[in-house]
Amino acid sequence: MSIHQLDPPSRLLCGPGPSDVEPAVLAAMRRPMLGHLDPAFHAILDEVVALLRAVWRMPDGDVLALPSTGTSAMEAGLANLLEPGDTAIVAEAGFFGRRLGDIAERHGATVVRVTAPWGETVPNAALLDALDRHPEARLVAVVHAETSTGALHPLRELGTALFGYDVLLLADCVTSLGGIPLEAGPWGVDYAYSCTQKCLAAPPGMAPVAISPRAWRRIRTRRTPVPFALDLELLRRYWVDRPAVYHHTTPILSVYALHEALRLVLDEGLEARWSRHAAAGAHLQAALRARGLELLADPSRQMAPLTAVRVPDGVDGKAVQARLLEEHGIEVGGGLGPAAPPMWRIGLMGRNATTATATHVLTALDDVLAPAAAAA
Ligand SMILES: Cc1ncc(COP(=O)(O)O)c(C=O)c1O
């Protein structure tokens, strides 16, 4: 029997992620396979840790990468930092803020949800207020860059405001790492997690995390064990301790991809990369507004890598997405979850964070929307 080889269509991935993979990252995945217990591979892990430290801006504590996507890194943070009965204050202003609270509840925490409408961010003052009402809280959790709305939480200010409180700060940095100014260590983030498929321009499958010394102190005084696969201390013994202690068979080629992606980030320069994302996002957002389209995020909170556009009345948003994909080979996202208003989510992440790509997407959108605009 002859079964044909895979031949997926070629796309421009301008949705909420994954984004297009850098060719050099794909090339790295073709390098010779090693075993996960080979000392040569452990030397590569050491390099990835050094690169991650620089990209997270996490001089203390530990950095490593889970063999998973962002969701498992989210769960790992909550599972390690919370114990059944602990109180967690969770900022919820979109799909992923809600998921944070849901996962914390599954791990037995009492969750205080502080909410804001989609497109806004939960005011830091409201989180501090919740902390005053719940001094027993052990964790404050926020989504830095809420991919379901395009809104950016003022994380640095939150870290500053929490200084002096005996509470850990957990931040979802899935869409911010490598694309938006972020300094996990100096900002006082105790556990930050991300993924490879957004601004790092690698395939999905690895989840970089950063863990502060204070988070380790909390983890080491736990009374209850954490799920084995998500146990950060066991992961640390493999990623950081030498000789490495086996925990799981690391996806070797994905580690090569992460290494190359991080190398490219630092080669470009973190600040330069943040600026590139900012310029591309600003270009897209100005052009969309100039076309009379409304953006979901509060303008003062709008992030660069992801722009959520409200679908105008009378336009079939899903049909527009389908035509962009079929006729132009461009993927953009729609609303996420039942609470989402009708929207398109346009991502300019990683290698796609250029004004040229923004213009390309706008031209395609103009083409698809032309009949609707003419009828209006
Ligand atoms: C802000 C945010 N958090 C968490 C996740 C979950 O990551 P993953 O889909 O890689 O599991 C995503 C995915 O888009 C996200 O955008």
Side-chain angles (χ1 to χ4, degrees):
M1 185 170 62
S2 135
I3 301 173
H4 70 83
Q5 290 189 327
L6 275 184
D7 185 22
S10 176
R11 306 283 197 218
L12 179 66
L13 297 177
C14 288
S19 67
D20 285 289
V21 176
E22 285 287 355
V25 169
L26 277 180
M29 298 182 84
R30 298 171 65 96
R31 305 230 166 100
M33 181 71 184
L34 289 171
H36 61 294
L37 297 179
D38 186 327
F41 183 65
H42 295 163
I44 292 173
L45 289 182
D46 293 346
E47 286 184 25
V48 174
V49 165
L51 294 167
L52 277 175
R53 229 181 239 302
V55 172
W56 276 119
R57 298 238 161 125
M58 191 72 176
D60 305 316
D62 285 295
V63 290
L64 48 88
L66 272 62
S68 65
T69 70
T71 303
S72 301
M74 180 190 279
E75 183 142 31
L78 295 165
N80 280 266
L81 299 182
L82 291 170
E83 296 200 67
D86 284 354
T87 299
I89 294 172
V90 176
E92 181 185 318
F95 182 92
F96 291 105
R98 181 163 190 88
R99 181 176 279 189
L100 271 174
D102 291 349
I103 294 179
E105 276 172 357
R106 285 186 180 217
H107 286 274
T110 301
V111 175
V112 178
R113 295 176 193 258
V114 189
T115 61
W118 283 48
E120 296 178 21
T121 56
V122 175
N124 287 338
L127 294 170
L128 292 180
D129 196 47
L131 198 47
D132 286 342
R133 284 183 283 109
H134 295 276
E136 77 285 6
R138 310 207 78 184
L139 182 76
V140 174
V142 293
V143 180
H144 184 207
E146 179 52 86
T147 327
S148 64
T149 68
L152 184 68
H153 192 100
L155 182 61
R156 179 208 303 255
E157 292 78 353
L158 180 60
T160 305
L162 289 177
F163 187 76
Y165 282 86
D166 183 22
V167 70
L168 298 175
L169 174 58
L170 176 149
D172 177 318
C173 300
V174 160
T175 295
S176 53
L177 186 69
I180 296 177
L182 168 64
E183 305 191 73
W187 293 4
V189 180
D190 293 296
Y191 179 81
Y193 60 92
S194 189
C195 64
T196 35
Q197 75 267 22
K198 308 230 181 201
C199 298
L200 296 182
M206 296 295 287
V209 302
I211 310 145
S212 78
R214 194 163 69 145
W216 279 127
R217 284 197 289 280
R218 172 70 55 81
I219 290 167
R220 286 172 184 147
T221 55
R222 289 180 63 91
R223 299 173 311 272
T224 54
V226 290
F228 194 92
L230 302 179
D231 188 322
L232 292 173
E233 175 57 28
L234 297 183
L235 284 157
R236 199 193 60 76
R237 287 185 199 157
Y238 175 68
W239 269 85
V240 179
D241 278 1
R242 295 291 174 262
V245 180
Y246 166 72
H247 173 259
H248 65 279
T249 305
T250 312
I252 308 294
L253 303 183
S254 298
V255 173
Y256 294 177
L258 177 59
H259 184 289
E260 181 62 12
L262 295 169
R263 195 187 68 76
L264 291 176
V265 169
L266 295 173
D267 199 37
E268 178 176 5
L270 258 182
E271 276 84 1
R273 194 174 177 96
W274 296 336
S275 301
R276 177 163 62 76
H277 280 78
H283 181 80
L284 175 73
Q285 289 150 16
L288 290 167
R289 287 198 189 95
R291 284 160 171 75
L293 292 164
E294 195 188 336
L295 307 190
L296 180 75
D298 174 340
S300 69
R301 293 283 176 249
Q302 177 67 62
M303 71 171 89
L306 191 286
T307 305
V309 188
R310 286 188 189 276
V311 175
D313 288 344
V315 174
D316 180 346
K318 288 200 179 351
V320 169
Q321 271 178 263
R323 282 192 58 199
L324 284 171
L325 194 66
E326 283 155 23
E327 296 170 24
H328 296 269
I330 299 176
E331 178 175 282
V332 307
L336 197 55
M343 68 173 99
W344 299 303
R345 290 184 301 144
I346 306 176
L348 295 175
M349 301 178 189
R351 71 185 262 104
N352 292 339
T354 63
T355 51
T357 303
T359 303
H360 185 68
V361 175
L362 286 161
T363 306
L365 194 61
D366 285 343
D367 175 52
V368 172
L369 288 180

